[in-house]
């Protein structure tokens, strides 16, 4: 396991600009109900395939800076090497009982899954659906806001004008689990 949060050093760069707690969507909820003591959140980090490992590692860094700046919580990440390379070695996308191993975590930081040499139904049914359906993850919720210091593609929109929550249902199409 690797602990992220306390003691992370960062230079004042773009990652640092992302962590103004009054504007970072989603994370306010994480802190709003905190008691006076420091809370540690356990996060399963699963880079998976393709660009996924890079995206997850960047996410871990950003979240670590946010935890450090907020000071009311820490993050404890545990890496899982499940994905196409795991499949090539073990013949399965994740070990038996893998989804149950994830139950002890407060969140899952998931990268991507899939490889050109492994059929999509194997990666989908063997990892993505095996996690989502077992853990009843029926929605992907993504708060969206314009952050200070970031030039938005919506150049004429100020911060308060854009405060969306995008909800992607994970129970239709290939996520329904009733076909291919």
């Amino acid at each position: 396991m690797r602990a992220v949060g306390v003691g992370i050093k960062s230079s004042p760069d773009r990652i640092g600009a992302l962590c103004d707690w009054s504007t970072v969507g989603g994370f306010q909820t994480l802190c709003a109900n905190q008691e006076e003591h420091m809370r540690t959140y356990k996060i399963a980090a699963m880079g998976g395939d393709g660009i996924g490992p890079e995206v997850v590692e960047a996410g871990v860094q950003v979240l670590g800076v946010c935890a450090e700046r907020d000071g009311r919580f820490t993050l404890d990440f545990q890496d899982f090497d499940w994905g196409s390379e795991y499949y090539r070695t073990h013949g399965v996308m994740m070990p038996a009982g893998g989804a149950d191993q994830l139950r002890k975590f407060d969140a899952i930081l998931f990268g991507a899954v899939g490889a050109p040499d492994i059929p999509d139904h194997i990666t989908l049914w063997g990892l993505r659906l095996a996690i989502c359906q077992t853990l009843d993850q029926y929605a992907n919720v993504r708060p969206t806001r314009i952050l200070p210091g970031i030039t938005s593609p919506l150049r004429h929109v100020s911060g308060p004008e854009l405060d969306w929550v995008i909800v992607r249902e994970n129970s239709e199409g290939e996520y329904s689990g009733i076909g291919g």
Side-chain angles (χ1 to χ4, degrees), residues 42 56 64 68 113 116-117 137 162 165 179:
K42 294 174 64 174
V56 167
E68 178 186 8
V113 67
D117 62 321
Q137 295 178 330
L162 178 65
V165 175

Side-chain angles (χ1 to χ4, degrees), residues 144-160:
T144 304
R145 295 183 181 167
I146 296 175
L147 303 174
I150 303 297
T151 303
S152 168
L154 304 171
R155 299 223 184 332
H156 302 292
V157 176
S158 68

Side-chain angles (χ1 to χ4, degrees), residues 69-150:
R69 287 191 177 190
D70 183 85
R72 292 177 284 177
F73 69 96
T74 60
L75 301 172
D76 181 10
F77 290 88
Q78 181 176 339
D79 291 311
F80 289 84
D81 63 350
W82 304 340
S84 295
E85 193 58 42
Y86 188 92
Y87 176 81
R88 289 183 194 100
T89 303
H90 302 283
V92 293
M93 294 299 294
M94 67 178 180
D100 288 329
Q101 290 180 42
L102 299 174
R103 287 186 192 281
K104 66 182 179 181
F105 292 90
D106 297 303
I108 300 169
L109 182 57
F110 188 85
V113 67
D117 62 321
I118 300 173
D120 286 345
H121 72 278
I122 291 175
T123 58
L124 178 64
W125 281 90
L127 189 62
R128 204 61 193 111
L129 286 180
I131 292 170
C132 291
Q133 290 180 347
T134 302
L135 301 179
D136 198 23
Q137 295 178 330
Y138 59 88
N140 187 340
V141 180
R142 298 177 182 192
T144 304
R145 295 183 181 167
I146 296 175
L147 303 174
I150 303 297

